[in-house]
């Protein structure tokens, strides 16, 4: 049993190591959110989410936000150049100096190419991509087997079942299945994930800035493996910009 509201303690930022920009890639249910929060706390870095950027610009009624809102109302996709402008503005923030976790960007090959060019012009560390992998059947069980009580305690009927079926061990509340934790929605989300991420993965893999980590291990094991892969990737010759920043 887990708690959905468990806090991730903030560790002191290690000044001897710069994680730089990190793109976490993974299918639905693999645990990207949990790992992102852990890395944010450990290194004192923010998460850059395109969803948060859209909402922030629309709430503040910025020029970019108004354009994006108009397009979304019309059911049109927000073009790359608009998304890129929002991302560029956010990356100029002082809190991004040590690095950041990218969430939902780059989603396309064109966005990945733009980001590489943008960071190179700023003499910043290039992005490294960590893909959290998992067997499709295991992911399906993780998602469709998930049961949650109103207080946030989480179970899985396949791997961490409650002592009494359908009842929370802690407070006796009935357990619920989320509306989107169904096989149909899982398969739909997997198709979108595979179609969108394949070219982005290929981009970073070809450039030697890509690593895979098994996302079905224990949470702390996955975190350890991600950290090890980050440190390995940041010592590659293509990471000269990061080495210069450390000097």
């Amino acid at each position: 049993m887990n708690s959905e509201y468990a806090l991730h303690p903030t560790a002191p930022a290690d000044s001897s190591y710069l994680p730089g920009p990190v793109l976490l890639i993974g299918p639905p249910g693999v645990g990207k959110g949990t790992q992102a929060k852990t890395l944010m706390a450990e290194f004192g870095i923010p998460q850059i989410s395109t969803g948060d950027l859209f909402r922030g610009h629309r709430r503040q009624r910025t020029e970019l936000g108004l354009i994006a809102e108009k397009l979304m109302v019309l059911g049109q996709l927000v073009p790359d150049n608009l998304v890129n402008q929002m991302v560029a503005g956010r990356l100029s923030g002082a809190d991004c100096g040590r690095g950041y976790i990218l969430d939902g960007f780059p989603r396309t090959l064109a966005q990945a190419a733009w980001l590489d060019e943008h960071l190179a012009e700023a003499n910043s560390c290039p992005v490294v991509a960590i893909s959290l992998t998992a067997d499709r059947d295991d992911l399906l069980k993780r998602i469709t087997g998930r049961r949650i009580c109103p207080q946030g305690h989480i179970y899985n009927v396949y791997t961490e079942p409650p002592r009494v079926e359908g009842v929370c061990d802690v407070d006796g509340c009935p357990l619920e299945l989320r509306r989107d934790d169904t096989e149909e929605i899982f398969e739909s989300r997997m198709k979108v994930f595979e179609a969108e991420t394949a070219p982005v993965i290929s981009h970073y893999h070809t450039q030697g800035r890509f690593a895979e980590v098994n996302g079905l291990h224990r949470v702390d094991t996955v975190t350890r493996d991600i950290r090890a892969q980050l440190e390995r990737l940041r010592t590659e010759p293509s990471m000269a910009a990061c080495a210069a920043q450390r000097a």
Side-chain angles (χ1 to χ4, degrees):
M1 185 268 292
N2 303 303
S3 176
E4 188 174 20
Y5 306 107
L7 298 177
H8 297 271
T10 301
D14 180 1
S15 60
S16 67
Y17 176 67
L18 291 173
V22 180
L23 171 61
L24 286 183
I25 303 173
V30 79
K32 295 189 303 297
T34 297
Q35 293 303 324
K37 290 177 182 176
T38 301
L39 293 173
M40 291 165 64
E42 178 175 354
F43 295 116
I45 59 178
Q47 184 176 32
I48 310 300
S49 162
T50 49
D52 290 343
L53 290 178
F54 284 152
R55 285 186 287 272
H57 276 271
R58 292 173 69 184
R59 184 171 58 251
Q60 296 170 28
R61 312 302 290 173
T62 67
E63 181 180 358
L64 294 177
L66 292 173
I67 295 173
E69 184 175 51
K70 181 178 180 180
L71 291 171
M72 287 187 281
V73 168
L74 294 173
Q76 299 177 16
L77 293 176
V78 179
D80 280 352
N81 68 322
L82 193 64
V83 179
N84 294 347
Q85 289 181 65
M86 289 185 180
V87 171
R90 180 64 184 89
L91 297 187
S92 66
D95 60 337
C96 293
R98 293 181 54 82
Y100 40 86
I101 307 297
L102 292 163
D103 177 13
F105 184 93
R107 192 180 295 275
T108 66
L109 185 57
Q111 290 177 349
W114 171 86
L115 184 58
D116 283 351
E117 182 178 350
H118 176 78
L119 295 178
E121 290 176 352
N123 195 31
S124 298
C125 293
V127 172
V128 293
I130 305 292
S131 177
L132 302 183
T133 64
D135 179 80
R136 195 184 190 97
D137 289 341
D138 289 333
L139 275 179
L140 181 61
K141 288 181 178 179
R142 175 181 282 192
I143 290 178
T144 61
R146 184 162 48 197
R147 300 292 185 273
I148 302 175
C149 91
Q151 302 303 315
H153 304 114
I154 303 176
Y155 301 82
N156 188 289
V157 298
Y158 301 109
T159 59
E160 295 181 280
R163 288 190 293 268
V164 178
E165 182 177 355
V167 179
C168 179
D169 295 344
V170 178
D171 47 40
C173 291
L175 300 179
E176 300 174 352
L177 173 68
R178 288 174 172 170
R179 286 184 296 177
D180 56 352
D181 284 350
T182 66
E183 184 171 356
E184 292 75 18
I185 292 179
F186 169 78
E187 292 296 344
S188 176
R189 293 174 65 191
M190 282 295 293
K191 288 180 181 178
V192 172
F193 166 75
E194 291 167 349
E196 289 184 340
T197 59
V200 175
I201 287 175
S202 177
H203 172 79
Y204 290 112
H205 189 276
T206 299
Q207 298 192 23
R209 294 187 277 130
F210 175 80
E212 291 185 339
V213 168
N214 189 326
L216 289 180
H217 289 160
R218 287 173 49 92
V219 171
D220 56 347
T221 300
V222 176
T223 302
R224 182 199 65 200
D225 292 345
I226 290 174
R227 189 185 303 114
Q229 291 295 344
L230 280 176
E231 293 179 3
R232 179 186 67 79
L233 289 170
R234 288 298 181 202
T235 61
E236 295 291 329
S238 60
M239 298 294 120
C242 286
Q245 287 184 28
R246 290 193 187 98

